[in-house]
Amino acid sequence: MIIHPQIQGCVARNCHPMGCRAAVLQQIEQVRAAGPFNGPKRVLVLGASSGFGLASRIALTFGAGADTLGVSFERGPSDKGLGSAGWYNNIWFRQAAEQAGRIAVNLIGDAFSDTMRQQAIDVIRQQLGQVDLVVYSLASGVRVMPDGTQVRSVLKTTGQPLQGWGLDLEHDALVQQSLVPATPEEIRDTVTVMGGEDWQRWMQALQQADCLAPGARTVAYSYIGPESTYPLYRDGTIGYAKEHLHATAETINLQLAGIGGHAWVSVCKALVTKASVFIPVLPVYLGLLMGVMKERGVHEGCIEQMQRLFADKMYGPRGVVADGNRLIRMDDHELEPAVQAAVSALWPKVTPENFRTLGDFAGLRQEFMQLNGFELPGVDYGAPVNVASLTELTP
Ligand code: NAI
């Protein structure tokens, strides 16, 4: 079977498993090239199959020699298709980690459920004993509550409606997008899905089960961004959820005091991931930002951000580099005044006709394709993929 990309709007409907392998191996090489660091040895990653979670797992395994348990929600091969990119990322990561002599266990299912918490506790007890670090990197539009009800997050503004250019990756075009203000109930639901409550539940369950090592740490990922994006992110529904996540770091930190543990939020830079290209209007900022940061030589992808987070800002010689609100600022380069001034100068000039000549929309599109295993160097996309052998692989 020869696989061609199927993109709908800003969502990839398929992936190229061999390209996913090349992408995972490329990230591993980048971490190896950056050199080892003295980090945690046993790690639980929630949301391990793509974006920041996968990059965290790769940075910790191949940079610090960590054994890991990864939890993610992914689709395997079925009569509906070959499965999701994250499914294959889990497989290729585990294979490479095992080849390097590391333990790598994947659990596939709903991380919001108590059943998954129990499964993770069982695996930790059997294979890792305890964990030294828990990475919370879930991005989801829906959370099934313990009573079975489904709560959905929305990507909306609060206050004034907002209009702007959005990116249509399917047609490589700009489209007008409007964000309407959310209702109080929608804000509350988004906080329920993307806020800190589930993170806290995980930490409570792990602590009660004696799965956290003395001095264990936990980190969750957030975004704040520059003022120009506040109406669509920080002051939007997702911003409310992130505020809740930030406050939860304080709560968890107190909760972990008994074992000498600590909780932080890492405020990351805006990056191309499955989740971020889906946020209305934000991808235009992202395309401009990529262009400006590349030009100034300070561009980072997921793997560079996560390698720097662990090697320099969490486990480096300076200890944890955080502000008084328990925030580790990985958005330092993004928020440099000169970077923001350059982006702000370009943004009002963007039109559907000229956007390809401003910023780095070609780079954004390529990164998006690569998330799904397409457009990677060294992969023969004309060669048929052996579907039967892929269906035999398990995460
Ligand atoms: P992603 O979509 O690439 O990864 C999300 C992960 O969550 C995947 O591994 C997926 O399988 C897992 N997941 C989703 N629902 C699940 C469920 N019910 N059970 C188990 N696993 C589930 O997203 P990305 O962008 O890496 O986001 C991770 C975190 O980083 C989010 O909190 C996001 O807000 C944050 N962040 C993202 C930024 C960006 O620019 N992409 C910037 C700063 C923070």
Side-chain angles (χ1 to χ4, degrees), residues 47 49-52 73-74 109-111 137-139 222 242 269 271 273:
S49 58
S50 63
F52 281 120
F73 197 82
E74 299 295 345
D110 184 7
S137 187
L138 298 180
S222 180
K242 292 303 186 188
K269 84 179 269 279
L271 273 168
T273 66

Side-chain angles (χ1 to χ4, degrees), residues 37-188:
F37 60 93
N38 196 9
K41 298 296 176 223
R42 300 162 300 175
V43 182
L44 167 63
V45 183
L46 300 162
S49 58
S50 63
F52 281 120
L54 174 64
S56 302
R57 201 177 186 193
I58 291 174
L60 291 162
T61 297
F62 294 93
D67 294 329
T68 59
L69 164 60
V71 177
S72 58
F73 197 82
E74 299 295 345
R75 266 188 343 269
S78 71
D79 51 2
K80 292 200 181 97
L82 266 185
S84 56
W87 175 268
Y88 293 99
N89 292 342
N90 283 333
I91 291 169
W92 308 128
F93 168 82
R94 182 181 55 73
Q95 286 189 357
E98 285 175 356
Q99 266 168 25
R102 301 269 56 92
I103 296 172
V105 181
N106 292 310
L107 288 176
I108 312 297
D110 184 7
F112 292 120
S113 71
D114 290 335
T115 317
M116 180 53 81
R117 272 184 264 277
Q118 191 52 52
Q119 279 183 46
I121 286 167
D122 292 343
V123 170
I124 291 170
R125 283 183 173 147
Q126 286 157 17
Q127 305 212 37
L128 304 174
Q130 291 181 315
V131 290
D132 310 300
L133 173 69
V134 178
V135 173
Y136 191 85
S137 187
L138 298 180
S140 177
V142 61
R143 175 175 170 195
V144 180
M145 303 304 286
D147 67 1
T149 53
Q150 283 197 355
V151 180
R152 288 186 181 279
S153 64
V154 298
L155 295 165
K156 290 189 177 180
T157 55
T158 60
Q160 299 303 311
L162 188 123
Q163 275 231 331
W165 291 116
L167 188 62
D168 175 349
L169 284 162
E170 180 184 354
H171 301 103
D172 193 22
L174 290 195
V175 287
Q176 268 295 319
Q177 288 181 330
S178 41
L179 282 92
V180 290
T183 62
E185 194 186 20
E186 287 174 322
I187 297 174
R188 200 189 55 220

Side-chain angles (χ1 to χ4, degrees), residues 195-382:
E197 194 201 311
D198 179 67
W199 180 27
Q200 196 187 344
R201 277 191 192 220
W202 267 100
M203 296 312 295
Q204 247 162 4
L206 293 165
Q207 195 171 356
Q208 276 163 14
D210 197 25
C211 283
L212 299 178
R217 297 174 176 191
T218 183
V219 63
Y221 298 140
S222 180
Y223 184 68
I224 293 177
E227 243 171 81
S228 58
T229 63
Y230 282 2
L232 53 113
Y233 197 98
R234 194 182 185 180
D235 296 338
T237 46
I238 183 80
Y240 277 71
K242 292 303 186 188
E243 272 304 310
H244 186 269
L245 189 81
H246 300 179
T248 308
E250 193 62 56
T251 315
I252 297 176
N253 201 58
L254 290 172
Q255 190 182 304
L256 296 180
I259 57 159
H262 291 287
W264 289 277
V265 167
S266 169
V267 181
C268 300
K269 84 179 269 279
L271 273 168
V272 182
T273 66
K274 201 172 67 184
S276 68
V277 294
F278 202 66
I279 300 176
V281 185
L282 193 74
V284 169
Y285 166 75
L286 202 52
L288 297 174
L289 179 73
M290 276 177 68
V292 170
M293 290 186 79
K294 280 185 182 172
E295 215 172 84
R296 301 177 71 86
V298 289
H299 173 73
E300 289 176 311
C302 278
I303 195 65
E304 290 93 345
Q305 275 262 296
M306 293 300 104
Q307 200 279 335
R308 185 161 70 93
L309 168 67
F310 295 118
D312 184 38
K313 294 217 176 183
M314 276 190 80
Y315 295 95
R318 295 180 292 166
V320 178
V321 185
D323 67 16
N325 296 319
R326 313 207 64 74
L327 303 182
I328 302 171
R329 301 305 296 251
M330 296 304 298
D331 56 353
D332 41 3
H333 299 321
E334 173 179 359
L335 296 188
E336 277 170 24
V339 169
Q340 285 307 317
V343 173
S344 296
L346 291 171
W347 207 344
K349 296 185 188 145
V350 170
T351 67
E353 292 74 37
N354 72 5
F355 76 98
R356 290 181 203 83
T357 64
L358 302 174
D360 185 23
F361 288 90
L364 186 157
R365 193 185 156 74
Q366 186 184 41
E367 281 194 22
F368 171 76
M369 296 304 284
Q370 291 185 342
L371 287 178
N372 302 294
F374 298 104
E375 297 186 16
L376 277 129
V379 178
D380 182 359
Y381 290 102

